Amino acid sequence: LEEGRLLSTVPEISMVSFPVDGAIAEDVCSQYEKELLRCESAGEAVLQEAACLCVNGRLELYVASPETDRSEAVQRVLAFLADGVDLFTEGAARQVVTKSGKEAVQHLFEVASGLRSPVPGEVRVLHQVKACYERRLSTAKLSSGSAGPVVTKLLNAAVRAGKLVRTHTQIGKGAVSQPAAAVELMGGELAQSAAELSGVCIVGEGPAARLLLIHVARQHPGLDIQVVASSMERATQIIDEAAAVIPEAAAAGAAPAKALPDFLVERSCCAVFTATEPGPGRDLLASAVEAALFQEPFPENGCRVLIDTSEPTLDCVEKCRTSFGQQGRVVYGAADVRSTLARNVAAREQQAKLAH
């Protein structure tokens, strides 16, 4: 019955989309909705409801109007953008996309399902559509225009479609960012060896180290994690920045580079992620990694998984790759991480074809 009601409103939907730089806050989207309908109240109303989304680098406005006024509805949205929205630059105007009826609805469903994302299956877009739907429910009653029944039902159906695609396909499977792919490599290696991980060490002091900490803490909550940087202060700062995104990261320990050997010696099975970036601390961290991996007493039945995401790759990584002949020591470089990433993206693209 609910789907039948939605289908009956499909002819009333129109969409106008244009590219923007960066994300647009929820409150800004809400303000655009209100201003668009406020402009309508000054004359003969054609636009009855509106919803604003910022997804995949584009601002998308969905409006409801009488079926016979769909063309006029699109023109009024374009006039509103040209007159009162600074984001609607000349360049953006040349890249406007408009859709109406079934095409507009299908577009939103594909957006929510991750089929229109640069990397298929991206889950963030579903969260953005759901946030828009929840905003419509919480900020106004059905009679207030922007949160009317047509747009609200459309957004709700799009969220259900997005969940359905992710449930019945593997479009969301596999890491699609470099830090997540590195953590996936670690998990795959440990699964093959049946080893029980006793600790993870993240060596670095830039954004890449912070992202690695976020992904490790998210995928392996409760794991003993150490962040090693050129100084205690920088290691602590990385942990604080990651904890602002995922609270579990706050449990990680901080240590200077010279403490890396001790961390490894005390743990029989340990993964070491290196995420160094060009700068004064890079050589110090690279030397600490090499010294720790070559000089430590390797525990019996132990394991070491070295995964380097540094660009450029650390010299010691290739040295480790050729020298680690004994069982229990495995080395992955940035090229291996990129290969995992490419394989996952290709798999998602194949799943996107099935979802269509």
Side-chain angles (χ1 to χ4, degrees), residues 139-191:
T139 60
K141 297 179 181 179
L142 292 179
S143 60
S144 67
S146 67
V150 175
V151 169
T152 302
K153 285 192 293 185
L154 172 65
L155 291 166
N156 188 27
V159 171
R160 294 201 306 272
K163 292 179 178 178
L164 189 67
V165 166
R166 288 170 173 81
T167 299
H168 292 280
T169 72
Q170 294 184 327
I171 195 171
K173 184 178 179 181
V176 290
S177 70
Q178 187 156 319
V183 176
E184 183 179 300
L185 266 177
M186 177 192 74
E189 180 61 38
L190 294 172

Side-chain angles (χ1 to χ4, degrees), residues 261-284:
D262 292 337
F263 182 82
L264 296 182
V265 167
E266 295 167 2
R267 291 155 182 83
S268 61
C269 184
C270 187
V272 179
F273 292 95
T274 52
T276 62
E277 300 170 11
R282 178 181 168 91
D283 291 341
L284 173 64

Side-chain angles (χ1 to χ4, degrees), residues 166-248:
R166 288 170 173 81
T167 299
H168 292 280
T169 72
Q170 294 184 327
I171 195 171
K173 184 178 179 181
V176 290
S177 70
Q178 187 156 319
V183 176
E184 183 179 300
L185 266 177
M186 177 192 74
E189 180 61 38
L190 294 172
Q192 289 182 16
S193 63
E196 184 175 346
L197 194 63
S198 52
V200 167
C201 186
I202 298 171
V203 182
E205 47 190 28
R210 181 186 70 246
L211 291 171
L212 275 170
L213 176 55
I214 290 170
H215 283 283
V216 172
R218 178 176 290 139
Q219 297 182 39
H220 301 274
L223 187 63
D224 185 9
I225 307 172
Q226 186 98 327
V227 176
V228 172
S230 57
S231 67
M232 277 287 293
E233 292 76 14
R234 183 55 190 139
T236 301
Q237 185 179 359
I238 290 171
I239 294 170
D240 292 342
E241 291 170 355
V245 178
I246 176 168
E248 290 83 353

Side-chain angles (χ1 to χ4, degrees), residues 123-143:
V123 72
R124 181 176 57 177
V125 291
L126 178 59
H127 294 159
Q128 291 167 327
V129 176
K130 184 178 180 181
C132 183
Y133 167 66
E134 292 174 344
R135 187 177 76 239
R136 304 272 43 79
L137 291 179
S138 63
T139 60
K141 297 179 181 179
L142 292 179
S143 60

Side-chain angles (χ1 to χ4, degrees), residues 16-29:
V16 176
S17 167
F18 65 92
V20 293
D21 293 326
I24 308 299
E26 282 280 306
D27 58 342
V28 175
C29 289

Side-chain angles (χ1 to χ4, degrees), residues 269-316:
C269 184
C270 187
V272 179
F273 292 95
T274 52
T276 62
E277 300 170 11
R282 178 181 168 91
D283 291 341
L284 173 64
L285 294 174
S287 298
V289 170
E290 184 173 351
L293 291 173
F294 280 99
Q295 296 176 14
E296 62 153 338
F298 190 68
E300 185 178 355
N301 298 322
C303 74
R304 295 288 182 263
V305 180
L306 172 61
I307 303 176
D308 180 44
T309 66
S310 304
E311 296 285 2
T313 299
L314 294 177
D315 293 337
C316 67

